[in-house]
Amino acid sequence: MVKATPEGTRRYAQRLGSVTARGHFRERDSLLYSSIGLGTYLGRWDEHTDRSYQEAISHAITLGCNVIDSAINYRFQRSERTIGAALKQLFDEAKASRDEIIVATKAGFFPFDGEPPQDARSWIVENVIERGLARSDEIAGGSHCMTPAYLEDQLSRSLENLGLTTVDIYYVHNPESQLESVSREEFGARLRAAFEFLERATADGRIGCYGTATWNGYRQEPGSPGYLSLGEVTAIAREIAGEDHHFKVVQLPHNLAMPEAITLGNQAVDGESLSLLMAADRLGVTVMCSATMLQAKLAQNLPPFVGQALKGFSTDAQRAIQFVRSTPGVTTALVGMSKRTHVDENMAVASVSPASVDAFFSMFSSEEA
């Protein structure tokens, strides 16, 4: 079992201390996370994009990014395989060690293999239903599944794709997708079964910890059809494994255009209505933020008050990253980086300390906000 460790991530942070500013690395559950992580969602499913991602991942790790995020369905398994190739090269060349890098991936959506199939329905029947990984009524919206048997299969495939024996963070991918098809009672039963499997996978060393990676779930008002309560989700893990449970991380979108993680008091904990970020802090859950630049929509034409509050940057893309990594309670801002030039621009933010609390909240009181 080889995974990210406190000693390894601390060694990495110390080695990269000369090119990163104070506050770039954050400690959670004894590991040091870079405040900027590399995401691998976007891009074509071709060899050119594979090579570009591999170079970008290798370059980012040498510049102070030790959090790499993926999902088995990203680019039809190609993103995981590209991460695996990049890590192998880095490890073989002794430019990084496995215990220094935090690798996260997800399962829930059907991944296909290398490219879209000609007939998606036939693929699902052949690769999921006929193999006994799930019944048809356990598949939500024709695209989402989180049965223990399916997660077992997907975890094995992800480890093979990544070339690893352990993945540090394993997410159930958009579990709120199931609420489109089943009652909340049934959803709770399905999530419990998934978490029971993930606790076993943690016990046998195949994952370091687990969580939920969501899009809408934690950003909606209570009572909304796809709403998720972090307190209730955490309680399921606690009922299964007690206080030593391994439900440790959530991922959700947070950016200048989607600030609900800090502005919306939609999470009830101990009788209080809290924002997601405050609730996560209360419950001991690490928060990773996706869509930092909202697929490049926030990389230009930001209002002037953002630049006035977030000083020291030459591009709006950098300011968008600084907003997310400076949000109180956020551990890592995940940024899609498929090209070396993206890495150079985005990782330059790591050479500047996160904004002060006063500077950050000044954006919310600006007349332009």
Side-chain angles (χ1 to χ4, degrees):
M1 178 176 66
V2 182
K3 61 181 181 178
T5 66
E7 298 77 15
T9 56
R10 191 166 302 279
R11 181 193 325 118
Y12 178 85
Q14 291 173 346
R15 189 169 72 249
L16 275 294
S18 61
V19 296
T20 60
R22 182 180 180 86
H24 173 57
F25 290 99
R26 290 93 184 266
E27 185 172 349
R28 296 292 299 181
D29 294 315
S30 300
L31 299 181
L32 285 178
Y33 290 73
S34 56
S35 66
I36 303 170
L38 190 147
T40 57
Y41 172 50
L42 296 177
R44 290 191 57 78
W45 50 91
D46 56 33
E47 293 184 4
H48 172 77
T49 307
D50 293 345
R51 290 192 297 270
S52 184
Y53 258 123
Q54 183 173 342
E55 182 181 15
I57 293 162
S58 299
H59 191 44
I61 288 173
T62 66
L63 294 180
C65 171
N66 78 329
V67 179
I68 309 298
D69 181 82
S70 195
I72 192 169
N73 64 303
Y74 288 176
R75 300 177 52 251
F76 307 108
Q77 302 188 55
R78 285 177 175 266
S79 286
E80 284 189 338
R81 291 165 182 165
T82 299
I83 292 169
L87 293 177
K88 183 179 186 305
Q89 182 177 3
L90 285 168
F91 300 160
D92 287 349
E93 295 175 356
K95 293 181 178 178
S97 300
R98 172 65 185 100
D99 62 354
E100 299 174 340
I101 311 301
I102 298 166
V103 180
T105 194
K106 318 174 188 76
F109 293 109
F110 297 130
F112 305 130
D113 193 348
E115 61 184 9
Q118 291 186 341
D119 185 338
R121 181 176 176 80
S122 295
W123 187 97
I124 294 168
V125 170
E126 179 181 348
N127 290 276
V128 179
I129 296 173
E130 290 182 352
R131 292 181 59 219
L133 303 182
R135 302 186 308 269
S136 60
D137 64 336
E138 293 174 316
I139 296 170
S143 64
H144 191 275
C145 181
M146 57 184 195
T147 64
Y150 182 71
L151 294 177
E152 170 81 58
D153 175 79
Q154 296 296 279
L155 174 58
S156 296
R157 290 173 183 269
S158 288
L159 290 171
E160 181 178 356
N161 288 341
L162 293 163
L164 303 177
T165 57
T166 304
V167 64
D168 300 293
I169 304 170
Y170 197 68
Y171 297 105
V172 181
H173 199 176
N174 287 20
E176 67 267 37
S177 300
Q178 293 279 320
L179 286 166
E180 298 174 7
S181 304
V182 301
S183 68
R184 285 201 169 268
E185 182 179 8
E186 175 62 19
F187 172 77
R190 292 184 180 189
L191 193 62
R192 178 184 294 274
F195 282 9
E196 287 173 347
F197 163 72
L198 293 169
E199 287 289 348
R200 293 195 298 273
T202 304
D204 66 24
R206 287 182 292 168
I207 62 175
C209 65
Y210 66 93
T212 48
T214 68
W215 187 255
N216 291 322
Y218 294 124
R219 299 188 303 109
Q220 298 188 43
E221 294 282 2
S224 299
Y227 169 76
L228 292 180
S229 163
L230 183 59
E232 292 176 1
V233 171
T234 305
I236 292 173
R238 190 179 297 116
E239 290 166 5
I240 294 168
E243 294 302 325
D244 293 328
H245 68 82
H246 296 88
F247 177 78
K248 297 292 187 182
V249 191
V250 295
Q251 184 183 128
L252 78 162
H254 173 61
N255 54 56
L256 281 158
M258 303 164 68
E260 297 88 354
I262 193 170
T263 61
L264 182 62
N266 65 341
Q267 298 293 324
V269 181
D270 298 330
E272 293 185 64
S273 293
L274 305 175
S275 70
L276 183 283
L277 286 164
M278 293 177 67
D281 180 65
R282 183 80 61 87
L283 294 165
V285 175
T286 296
V287 179
M288 315 292 280
C289 291
S290 60
T292 293
M293 286 193 283
L294 197 56
Q295 299 182 8
K297 293 183 178 68
L298 299 175
Q300 56 186 351
N301 299 322
L302 293 180
F305 74 84
V306 176
Q308 293 164 7
L310 306 177
K311 301 182 184 299
F313 302 101
S314 59
T315 71
D316 279 343
Q318 294 171 338
R319 296 181 187 101
I321 296 169
Q322 180 72 336
F323 172 85
V324 178
R325 73 193 282 260
S326 300
T327 303
V330 169
T331 294
T332 299
L334 298 170
V335 186
M337 292 186 264
S338 61
K339 297 180 181 179
R340 187 185 179 101
T341 53
H342 295 163
V343 172
D344 285 328
E345 177 180 358
N346 298 336
M347 287 306 299
V349 179
S351 66
V352 179
S353 292
S356 68
V357 172
D358 288 344
F360 177 84
F361 281 109
S362 72
M363 289 181 285
F364 293 85
S365 58
S366 169
E367 292 182 359
E368 298 177 66

